[in-house]
Amino acid sequence: MRRPGLSYVLVAVLAFTATRVVSLAGTFLAVPDGQSFLQLLTLTWDPRWYQAIAAHGYDDAADLSPQLRVLCPDHTQVGCARTPDRHSNLAFFPLFPAAIRMLSSAGIEPLFGALVLATTASLVASALIALIARDVFDERAGVIAVALWGAMPVNVALSSGRPESLFVALAAGSLWLLARHPVWAAVLAALAGLTRFQAIAVIVPVMVAAWVRPNRLTTRLAVTAIAPLGLLAFLGLVAHRTGRLDGWLAVQQEWQSVSDWGASKVRFLHEHLLHGPPIFQVAAWTIVAACLLFVASLVLRLPWPLNMYSGLLLAGVIAQASYHPHSMRFLLMAFPLVFPLAAWGRRLPTWLAAVVLLGLCVASTAFQSGLWPNQIDF
């Protein structure tokens, strides 16, 4: 692992920032009548749930019905429109809403707090991704990698009130520190475990690396104890409140977020690669591209922790039996998948690489901007 170069990191972050400008400009131009730009970014779908948790906390055991739903005495509450009860907010992990609440205690509105957190985390994540790609290839590949990451489908999620950018910042930090500081890598993995269930993808390689690399026994034991701590703590909380060991999985099932080990995803790809609404077609092609890029990562022999991380995330996406368009957002977290493209792109002349990256960014922005007027979630 080489020392971080401030000028290199700055260039990489600026390249990623350029993708944010294009993405947010497209979002701004696509704002439907009757909504504001900030509302579109931070008060739709999942962001509303995170801000509600920051303001009111999690559902308690007394709030839950036997079906793990919550009554709606106030229909202005999140998830309560036109329904007598709602899903439980125990499906959402706590670090992002806790951070929003901390900013709120400092006088920052939750809406702005969520936006500041996501944007700041995305910039930190871009710097760490660039450093990882530089260590694998070179500086040119690192800059291209962050630009590619910022141009992935539905990349506006990295700059809205969602926790994906925070998760990637923690995961990338953990993977970057893994070779030199395994205990600190485990700490970041534990924090990732408080952010999304997909933290399994970073927890596993961190724990495996502690045992296959020449570390002291105390280091191995510390990493093994620390890395899964955040994930287990939240799953334990949900188990306590629901009164069942598989409480979080049961809540997810009530949200219709279940796994069938890929059968539904295969049907989705068969039905929508060439047919159906554009969001389904783009989601299908994104999944196929991710699979091909994972194979390319194996052929290029990327460091095994990166491939294990991407592989576990990709496996989770393929296994999911519902919310298929959301696969595009979930794959934003699998940032090493862009590394094979970055390795190829570094061979292009600078002007041509810039043109290709700009074209990809504009294309993805045009696609995701087309979703907003129709209020399509992803």
Side-chain angles (χ1 to χ4, degrees), residues 4-357:
L6 182 59
S7 59
Y8 165 67
V9 170
L10 180 60
V11 169
V13 172
L14 286 174
F16 175 73
T17 302
T19 70
R20 301 300 84 216
V21 172
V22 174
S23 179
L24 293 175
T27 302
F28 179 79
L29 294 174
V31 174
D33 293 337
Q35 275 194 296
S36 75
F37 176 59
L38 288 178
Q39 285 177 333
L40 192 62
L41 288 178
T42 59
L43 289 178
T44 55
W45 308 299
D46 288 5
R48 294 183 63 202
W49 285 92
Y50 284 110
Q51 292 175 53
I53 293 169
H56 307 295
Y58 281 103
D59 299 329
D60 209 341
D63 301 320
L64 298 172
S65 71
Q67 294 76 35
L68 300 181
R69 291 184 65 85
V70 179
L71 291 176
C72 281
D74 180 1
H75 289 275
T76 64
Q77 292 179 356
V78 176
C80 281
R82 299 183 297 276
T83 181
D85 56 5
R86 62 166 171 82
H87 298 300
S88 173
N89 61 19
L90 289 168
F92 297 91
F93 277 65
L95 187 59
F96 192 69
I100 294 174
R101 188 164 189 165
M102 288 179 61
L103 291 178
S104 297
S105 66
I108 300 175
E109 290 289 330
L111 181 150
F112 290 105
L115 194 59
V116 167
L117 282 170
T119 301
T120 303
S122 70
L123 296 176
V124 173
S126 69
L128 290 164
I129 291 170
L131 291 172
I132 294 171
R134 184 201 62 176
D135 290 344
V136 175
F137 299 112
D138 56 27
E139 293 185 351
R140 187 180 178 87
V143 174
I144 293 173
V146 295
L148 286 168
W149 181 59
M152 289 178 68
V154 302
N155 61 76
V156 73
L158 299 173
S159 303
S160 64
R162 300 173 185 267
E164 277 75 16
S165 55
L166 176 60
F167 176 86
V168 174
L170 293 168
S174 181
L175 293 169
W176 186 61
L177 289 172
L178 190 54
R180 294 284 186 88
H181 304 288
V183 174
W184 281 111
V187 171
L188 293 182
L191 291 174
L194 290 171
T195 310
R196 291 200 66 94
F197 183 75
Q198 288 88 342
I200 290 175
V202 67
I203 292 170
V204 171
V206 166
M207 293 174 64
V208 172
W211 290 93
V212 301
R213 290 176 174 170
N215 295 308
R216 295 179 180 177
L217 179 59
T218 53
T219 299
R220 291 172 172 172
L221 294 175
V223 169
T224 303
I226 294 170
L229 201 56
L231 180 63
L232 293 177
F234 182 65
L235 295 181
L237 170 68
V238 179
H240 174 70
R241 295 202 175 181
T242 58
R244 47 190 297 178
L245 286 176
D246 65 342
W248 186 81
L249 293 175
V251 170
Q252 286 291 102
Q253 185 172 17
E254 199 282 319
W255 276 81
Q256 287 87 48
S257 181
V258 296
S259 171
D260 64 359
W261 307 105
S264 294
K265 202 68 74 186
V266 170
R267 288 195 298 271
F268 173 76
L269 294 179
H270 175 71
E271 294 170 1
H272 295 291
L273 276 174
L274 300 175
H275 307 283
I279 186 173
F280 283 11
Q281 290 191 51
V282 174
W285 282 107
T286 300
I287 295 166
V288 170
C291 293
L292 294 175
L293 289 171
F294 180 67
V295 173
S297 299
L298 296 176
V299 172
L300 286 176
R301 296 185 179 181
L302 296 187
W304 68 263
L306 297 179
N307 282 336
M308 183 178 287
Y309 171 76
S310 296
L312 289 171
L313 286 174
L314 182 57
V317 166
I318 293 172
Q320 192 173 36
S322 55
Y323 298 108
H324 300 300
H326 292 237
S327 299
M328 297 180 288
R329 175 162 56 89
F330 299 149
L331 287 170
L332 284 171
M333 295 181 282
F335 64 88
L337 292 178
V338 304
F339 284 11
L341 293 176
W344 171 78
R346 64 183 173 152
R347 298 183 174 90
L348 297 176
T350 301
W351 69 268
L352 182 56
V355 169
V356 171
L357 291 170

